[in-house]
Structure formats: structure tokens, C-alpha cells
Amino acid sequence: MSVIIPIYNQMEYLPRCLASVARQTYRNIEVIMVNDGSSDESQIAMDAFERIDRRFHAISHDRNRGVSAARNTALAVARGKYALFVDGDDWLEDSYVEHFVTAMIDGGYDLVVNPYITERDSSRIFSDKDNARVPSDRKLAPRELTRRQFLDGVRSPIGQVRGYLWNKIYRMDIINSYRLRFDTEVSMMEDELFTVEYAVRVQSFYYGGCADYHYVTHAGSATTESPVKMLPQQLLSLHRVNRIIAAIDHGESEAEGETEA
């Protein structure tokens, strides 16, 4: 299992993040930390964890190349069967990796998605962690998803699927077979674009219902950028996402037509 963490000026949050990764109940992991040209002391925290835990590996860019380039650097050296992506200012429950791996192995799925907990200014503002354990709540109960249901969830502005990387687990053989990488020319929604590129190439999806990821929003988060500044890149990414999905829909429609004929 490869846990990939791109890091850029996150020293304030990074020790908590890395400590939560080190505490995982699923122990067979490699943790690939990529310092994307940080100007703060992030490298100090990375070096400390690399010294005390042989599962942690630090890589440094000579300059800031962007989060997509940092993730690509990690993918190029990842040796795990699966890949999980974690942001350096977030943190994990101890069962985060175990829940993902167990679901993938038990169900033989190509992708598993889980709900998450959002925190702002150290205060939890949304959590369905407890509700996810209530079988009567069909919206949160674990269930298999069709590709269409998954892609609809990725494109939805609400819900617990979305286009994020860190609430999903990916198979490295799929990533490598199709040479999937993050587009370094896209600075917004690059995670959604990667997820869609992956999803249209696989068949089986599962919603696990385990909210183990703490997504922390703060003044420095990308999601707090001015909506006006973000809009052009968001529109570019959304256009590409919709184009990929439209191509798949067209192919499926043609296949259905041939069957009917």
C-alpha cells in the first residue's frame, strides 16, 4: 500500500498528519512524502519521520512545481498494490487504511470511496461518521455503485463521493497500465480529472460508509481561494471531465444499438 502526501508549506499541520499516518492499524504501507519546494520547515518534519519510521520516504523538488507534479513524482516510485492520497494539512483516524484495504480485498473492487469529516478552524462542522453506522439510513449505508452512480457523485457539488482523492483508494496496476498521471497544466479540480480518467477505465465501485478522513479547511486551503480567481480553471477542468464522460456515454449507446440490432 502506497500512501502519497504532497507537501507545500504545511509545517503547522504536517506533524499531526504524519503522526496519524504512522498510527495506522494497517501496517504494511510505504509513505511517500514529496516536498514541493516548501519555504517553511516542512522538510524538518519529513526528515524526522523518515529517521524514526523506515516506512516513510522523503523526496524534495528543487522548486515549487505544483501539487499535480508532486503527486506524479510519488506515483513514479510507488511500489504498493494500492494508492491512497493524503493532504499534508489533514489527518486520519487509525482505521483509515485498514477500512479501504479490507473493502478492496473482500469485494475485489476497482475503487472504494468513503465519506469524510470536514473541520474548520479546529471545529468539526460536519460528520456522518456515527450516522454511517446506522443501517436504516440508506444514503449512508455501504453499497455497491455503478460507474454512472459513481461519476454522478464525483460531479455533484454535494454529497460524500465528490472528486476528492483522499476519500478513495485506487489500484496501482490500473494507474500504471494506462499511464494515468495528474495534468500539471490544470491547477484546479485536477483531482477530479484524475479520478474520472481512472473511473472510465474500471468496472466495480463500492461506497464503504467509513468516515475516517478529517478534511481540514483553513485560511491557507485551496478551497478558500477567491471563487472569481478559481473559476477559469474550474471551468476548464469541468469541460474536460464532461468530455471524457460524454465519450463513454456515446460508446455505451453505440454498443446498446448494436445489441438491439
Side-chain angles (χ1 to χ4, degrees):
M1 160 60 65
S2 299
V3 180
I4 293 171
I5 311 177
I7 296 164
Y8 179 66
N9 290 346
Q10 292 169 322
M11 184 57 184
E12 180 180 355
Y13 305 93
L14 191 57
R16 179 180 64 177
C17 172
L18 298 182
S20 73
V21 175
R23 289 194 304 266
Q24 291 301 296
T25 54
Y26 186 89
R27 305 292 298 171
N28 187 22
I29 61 176
E30 63 168 4
V31 185
I32 306 172
M33 309 170 290
V34 181
N35 184 353
D36 188 35
S38 296
S39 58
D40 68 356
E41 297 180 337
S42 293
Q43 188 68 44
I44 294 176
M46 295 168 59
D47 291 343
F49 275 85
E50 187 176 42
R51 283 195 303 270
I52 64 177
D53 193 328
R54 66 177 62 185
R55 299 173 302 168
F56 283 71
H57 309 284
I59 302 173
S60 297
H61 285 173
D62 56 355
R63 58 183 174 81
N64 179 236
R65 303 179 187 176
V67 66
S68 290
R71 290 172 179 145
N72 288 342
T73 293
L75 285 175
V77 300
R79 298 174 298 172
K81 183 176 182 179
Y82 305 113
L84 284 167
F85 296 90
V86 173
D87 285 352
D89 47 1
D90 299 334
W91 63 280
L92 320 173
E93 300 282 349
D94 295 355
S95 53
Y96 172 76
V97 175
E98 184 173 0
H99 280 151
F100 272 119
V101 174
T102 299
M104 288 288 274
I105 293 175
D106 289 352
Y109 298 109
D110 297 320
L111 184 147
V112 172
V113 54
N114 275 317
Y116 54 92
I117 299 159
T118 301
E119 297 182 3
R120 180 176 295 131
D121 295 330
S122 301
S123 299
R124 183 180 299 176
I125 61 172
F126 176 82
S127 171
D128 65 8
K129 185 175 181 181
D130 296 326
N131 291 334
R133 297 173 181 157
V134 181
S136 60
D137 191 333
R138 297 179 61 85
K139 293 186 297 182
L140 300 174
R143 64 195 185 279
E144 292 188 353
L145 302 173
T146 65
R147 182 193 286 132
R148 169 54 57 193
Q149 289 171 329
F150 176 76
L151 289 174
D152 285 347
V154 167
R155 291 188 293 176
S156 174
I158 59 173
Q160 290 288 291
V161 176
R162 311 289 289 277
Y164 302 127
L165 295 170
W166 33 254
N167 67 330
K168 302 171 182 68
I169 184 172
Y170 305 80
R171 285 173 43 188
M172 279 300 301
D173 61 335
I174 297 295
I175 291 174
N176 291 331
S177 293
Y178 292 98
R179 299 180 182 178
L180 298 179
R181 291 295 185 268
F182 293 88
D183 190 337
T184 57
E185 299 301 315
V186 176
S187 59
M188 290 300 303
M189 295 173 62
E190 75 291 332
D191 46 359
E192 182 170 324
L193 184 58
F194 178 89
T195 298
V196 169
E197 290 273 15
Y198 179 96
V200 298
R201 291 173 168 86
V202 300
Q203 301 297 321
S204 55
F205 305 84
Y206 184 71
Y207 178 84
C210 299
D212 295 323
Y213 192 94
H214 291 254
Y215 168 46
V216 181
T217 63
H218 49 85
S221 299
T223 50
T224 61
E225 291 279 347
S226 165
V228 175
K229 290 171 60 178
M230 294 164 57
L231 187 58
Q233 279 290 326
Q234 286 180 324
L235 290 176
L236 172 62
S237 297
L238 187 59
H239 172 70
R240 292 183 59 181
V241 164
N242 288 333
R243 190 172 60 188
I244 293 167
I245 295 175
I248 292 298
D249 290 342
H250 180 68
E252 290 177 349
S253 297
E254 286 187 343
E256 289 174 0
E258 292 173 2
T259 301
E260 292 173 358

